Amino acid sequence: QVQLVESGGGLVQAGGSLRLSCAASGRTFGSYAMGWFRQAPGKEREFVAATTRSGGRTVYADSGKGRFTITRDNAKNMVYLQMNSLKPEDTAVYFCAARFGSSYYTSMSEYNTWGQGSQVTVSS
């Protein structure tokens, strides 16, 4: 089973960009589908983006379509979330998640491995 560590969060002005990184341990990273979720204060954790184990297919929540891009580098055991045109409503703790499987997955319950989260704050 992989272990996940996110990085790259921070404070950015509205309209700015951030790239989150998620480093995975283990030699079987290429067997895991990956996803990004976020949780704003007082709200439930929600789906942001997901990709298949090869990175060949991706899916996004409506809130991030056209602004966010999920990619992965299996040689480096990394998955990324590029976030552009950030809005104050994007402020949240962002989590990467992993599960063994051949598809992409958009529900929290479908993932069994989570990182500790990375804070993203977008100021207006």
Side-chain angles (χ1 to χ4, degrees):
Q1 191 167 352
V2 295
Q3 292 182 320
L4 306 173
V5 178
E6 301 95 334
S7 61
L11 175 64
V12 64
Q13 288 188 332
S17 298
L18 279 176
R19 188 177 81 155
L20 300 180
S21 300
C22 176
S25 64
R27 293 182 290 179
T28 60
F29 177 68
S31 299
Y32 286 80
M34 300 297 296
W36 286 97
F37 290 75
R38 67 186 184 185
Q39 187 167 17
K43 295 188 176 181
E44 294 187 351
R45 195 171 299 188
E46 64 178 9
F47 170 73
V48 175
T51 185
T52 53
R53 56 192 180 187
S54 69
R57 288 186 291 158
T58 58
V59 62
Y60 299 91
D62 287 344
S63 59
K65 283 181 181 176
R67 301 188 300 125
F68 294 178
T69 304
I70 184 172
T71 57
R72 65 187 295 164
D73 184 339
N74 286 349
K76 296 182 178 179
N77 280 20
M78 297 291 294
V79 64
Y80 306 98
L81 184 69
Q82 177 67 44
M83 302 185 292
N84 299 328
S85 302
L86 282 162
K87 305 174 182 179
E89 51 263 45
D90 294 319
T91 295
V93 178
Y94 284 71
F95 299 87
C96 69
R99 65 152 287 161
F100 186 85
S102 60
S103 184
Y104 54 63
Y105 306 90
T106 61
S107 172
M108 279 182 56
S109 62
E110 295 179 294
Y111 290 88
N112 54 14
T113 303
W114 293 84
Q116 84 289 350
S118 182
Q119 177 70 47
V120 171
T121 303
V122 184
S123 63
S124 57

